[in-house]
Amino acid sequence: MSIRDKMNENSFNRCPLFRGISIEEHDAFLERNVNDVVNFDKGETVVRQGEVINSMYLLVKGIVRTQMITQEGNAVEIEMLEAVMPLAPAFIFANNNKYPVDVVTMEPCTFLKIPKSDWLNEMIHNEKLMINFLTLN
């Protein structure tokens, strides 16, 4: 099964990272860079607030809730993300590159995991991808 088969039909068109990029470019990008496909059941924690970001997680199927834990230990919902969206793209290359929120699945979800170094290399060689990434952030 190809990586594209794991995504919702036409979902790449909804991802702001791939706007203006052909299906062929998109598929070649995924084949070159996705080192893992990760599935989570409903209610599982994908990442925790404060974890170091070593890879770009691209939500390709499902819905997740992002939440922050206050100093008092209460969970405050920040937003809901629906496929296809990257997790915390503004923080992947930050000096303090840690997840700012917990990410919890609201239904079964699938993520594509792309190593940070591969993501950076692709942006260096694909101006449209880099502009999309910078615009998203």
Side-chain angles (χ1 to χ4, degrees):
M1 179 179 287
S2 75
I3 293 170
R4 176 178 261 303
D5 293 337
K6 297 185 184 310
M7 299 175 71
N8 292 331
E9 190 171 326
N10 297 321
S11 60
F12 102 94
N13 292 324
R14 292 192 312 263
C15 182
L17 293 171
F18 299 111
R19 280 197 185 107
I21 295 175
S22 72
I23 291 173
E24 294 77 21
E25 285 179 286
H26 170 266
D27 289 350
F29 166 86
L30 294 178
E31 292 300 326
R32 279 192 308 273
N33 296 294
V34 174
N35 74 343
D36 203 4
V37 177
V38 187
N39 294 297
F40 292 90
D41 292 325
K42 178 181 179 179
E44 285 192 85
T45 300
V46 178
V47 296
R48 295 218 177 265
Q49 182 177 340
E51 285 182 22
V52 173
I53 303 173
N54 294 315
S55 297
M56 172 70 77
Y57 275 88
L58 188 61
L59 172 65
V60 294
K61 188 175 180 186
I63 300 172
V64 297
R65 177 182 72 234
T66 63
Q67 62 188 27
M68 288 185 138
I69 306 301
T70 66
Q71 290 181 340
E72 295 80 25
N74 300 318
V76 177
E77 184 177 310
I78 304 300
E79 68 179 328
M80 302 284 273
L81 298 175
E82 187 173 342
V84 172
M85 286 298 291
L87 296 186
F91 294 86
I92 192 167
F93 298 111
N95 288 334
N96 185 16
N97 68 325
K98 295 180 180 177
Y99 285 100
V101 293
D102 288 347
V103 178
V104 179
T105 59
M106 300 302 294
E107 61 187 39
C109 292
T110 301
F111 291 86
L112 304 181
K113 190 174 175 184
I114 302 169
K116 185 164 96 170
S117 59
D118 292 349
W119 183 259
L120 180 60
N121 187 53
E122 284 291 334
M123 287 195 305
I124 289 168
H125 293 97
N126 186 327
E127 181 180 347
K128 187 64 177 168
L129 183 66
M130 181 172 51
I131 289 169
N132 289 347
F133 180 80
L134 294 172
T135 302
L136 182 64
N137 292 307

